[in-house]
């Protein structure tokens, strides 16, 4: 759920004397001394990496909001900034201000700011500043010299905890400190701001959530606030805040990093999405696969909404930017309440304008470029989320759930299913006249261009593998062709046929729980072939950004 989760929020803050900031690695100590004299500089001469992010203003229409709501947003942004400071502490051991001040080159400084430290997040965390060693896998959640074995064998009481940092005492013994203590000053301030915001909320369910979230920051108990968040339905403003995702802890994947999103709900789009979700049971019946693979009845009450984001902070703002969220992560809340999917429309628009359109200009034949539209990009992304509800969750071969039977390949196939069935849904709803914008060409060709955008993030993640399987499968089926100039053209008829047969293949493998077959599919179709690699290199050579970075805040919003 990389694109998506959010649950708990934590924050770290002021534990400076006990926590990471007082114990830089040996390499960072050396670097500090040298930086005093020379400042930090790029380790290599390839300045092109500095251009992989392009800056976009993160704005939204606030004209429908009251003065009180705007005051509330100010409080939410201020609380988010605290999440940002805490995330710096989790990701990087030295003082942020001193570190950035020691970088003289403005472009390098900005790159360090985007990466929340000296490691290139879209290039395997490789250090890009002189003097810094490899990033510790456990970031600043653990002492840098700790091994998995040592932590597992230790007496630390919440080894697998989401909301604590692990440190060594004078004797070298490991112990943990809850975030609420480690970052007490910052979290108290953030909680105070959330309470002030709650008093300004005109929506009582949102006010209730903010109060509970404030409590959670101080108690490290987030579940109740997650329930409260799922119970909110009518609030026009939202905030996802706290220690939520665990990707920053690459040693164990246990500990959550602080982040925030301040969101304005797009009420009109959210209503449309609710309407489309109601078609799921009917669309399930029409899936292009044998009856036995579509016996489950999909739920039609998906909690799927569109938003404009007006502030990203902490983990959500580091490196590549999320355009969809699926939360909470708490399993018990998920079981009882499901999850909420949030689609971040203005962030998608930024990626569309700055990345998708330029990619199409490099890789799609001129006569099809007019079909690359934001409406289609947005709809394809939205319907991906809805389409997770189609198909079946349990095998028909007594192998248990699809997830259990397909093991480490389950996510890649599930993401591939959602991509292709999302497009299937669009096609059906267009035919039925439920979707009135655009033509099928728009959706197909935009879908194709979207594959090029996504594979630039690599083929290693579940989404990356799903993309490559689809790309290589489409190539085999003639769904697109590539001319001598290296431009791609979609063949509408063959694309329709390829979509149908790929949908059938995926749904059959899932229903059968056929681990051998999915392994073979990934082995043969899951990687980036030489020609595509060369085409992607053309995008880099044309300086097309890989991702966006935001100019954001109260001044951008006019607050
Ligand atoms: Zn997905």
């Amino acid at each position: 759920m990389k694109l998506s989760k959010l649950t708990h929020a934590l924050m770290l803050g002021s534990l400076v004397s006990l926590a990471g900031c007082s114990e830089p690695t040996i390499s960072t100590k050396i670097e500090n001394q040298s930086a005093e004299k020379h400042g930090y500089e790029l380790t290599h001469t390839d300045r092109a990496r500095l251009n992989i992010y392009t800056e976009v203003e993160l704005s939204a229409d606030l004209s429908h909001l009251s003065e009180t709501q705007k005051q509330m947003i100010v409080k939410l942004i201020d609380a988010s900034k605290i999440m940002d400071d805490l995330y710096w502490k989790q990701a990087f051991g030295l003082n942020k201000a001193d570190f950035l001040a020691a970088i003289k080159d403005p472009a390098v400084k900005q790159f360090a700011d985007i990466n929340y430290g000296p490691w290139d997040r879209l290039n395997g965390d490789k250090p890009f500043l002189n003097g810094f060693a490899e990033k510790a896998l456990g970031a600043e959640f653990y002492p840098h010299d700790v091994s998995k074995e040592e932590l597992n064998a230790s007496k630390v009481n919440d080894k697998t905890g989401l909301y604590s940092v692990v440190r060594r005492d004078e004797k070298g013994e490991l112990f943990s400190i809850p975030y609420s203590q480690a970052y007490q000053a910052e979290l108290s301030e953030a909680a105070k701001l959330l309470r002030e915001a709650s008093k300004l909320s005109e929506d009582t369910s949102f006010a209730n959530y903010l109060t509970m979230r404030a409590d959670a920051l101080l108690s490290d108990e987030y579940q109740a606030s997650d329930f409260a968040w799922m119970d909110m339905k009518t609030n026009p403003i939202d905030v996802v805040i706290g220690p939520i995702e665990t990707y920053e802890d690459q040693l164990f994947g246990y500990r959550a990093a602080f982040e925030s999103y301040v969101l304005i709900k797009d009420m009109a789009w959210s209503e449309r999405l609710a309407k489309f979700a109601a078609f799921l049971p009917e669309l399930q019946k029409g899936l292009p696969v044998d009856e036995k693979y579509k016996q489950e009845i999909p739920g039609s009450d998906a909690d799927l909404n569109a938003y404009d984001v007006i502030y990203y902070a902490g983990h959500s703002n580091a490196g590549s930017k999320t355009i969809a969220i699926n939360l909470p992560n708490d399993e018990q809340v998920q079981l009882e309440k499901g999850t909420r999917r949030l689609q971040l429309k203005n962030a998608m628009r930024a990626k569309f304008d700055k990345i998708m359109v330029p990619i199409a200009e490099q890789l799609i034949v001129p006569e099809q470029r007019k079909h690359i539209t934001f409406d289609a990009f947005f709809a394809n992304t939205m319907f991906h989320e809805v389409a997770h509800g189609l198909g079946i969750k349990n095998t028909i071969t007594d192998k248990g759930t699809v997830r259990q039977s397909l093991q480490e390949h389950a996510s890649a196939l599930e993401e591939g299913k959602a991509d292709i069935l999302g497009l299937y849904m669009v096609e059906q709803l267009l035919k039925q006249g439920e979707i009135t914008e655009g033509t099928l060409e728009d959706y197909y060709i935009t879908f194709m261009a979207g594959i090029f955008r996504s594979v630039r993030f690599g083929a290693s993640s579940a989404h990356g593998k799903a993309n490559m399987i689809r790309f290589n499968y489409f190539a085999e089926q003639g769904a697109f062709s590539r001319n001598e100039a290296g431009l791609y053209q979609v063949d509408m008829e063959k694309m329709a046929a390829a979509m149908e047969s790929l949908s059938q293949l995926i749904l059959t493998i899932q229903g059968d729980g056929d681990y051998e077959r999915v392994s073979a599919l990934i082995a043969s179709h899951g990687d980036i072939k030489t020609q595509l690699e060369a085409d992607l290199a053309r995008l880099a050579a044309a300086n097309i950004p890989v991702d966006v970075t935001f100019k954001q805040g109260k001044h951008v919003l006019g607050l």
Side-chain angles (χ1 to χ4, degrees), residues 7-19:
T7 336
H8 322 265
L10 338 164
M11 343 222 146
L12 306 188
S14 53
L15 215 230
V16 174
S17 57
L18 289 172

Side-chain angles (χ1 to χ4, degrees), residues 343-363:
Q343 304 287 322
L344 313 181
K345 198 162 173 241
N346 59 342
M348 282 184 207
R349 176 97 222 184
K351 294 199 186 199
F352 178 81
D353 291 341
K354 299 286 182 175
I355 304 171
M356 273 285 278
V357 172
I359 284 176
E361 281 161 8
Q362 294 289 325
L363 293 181

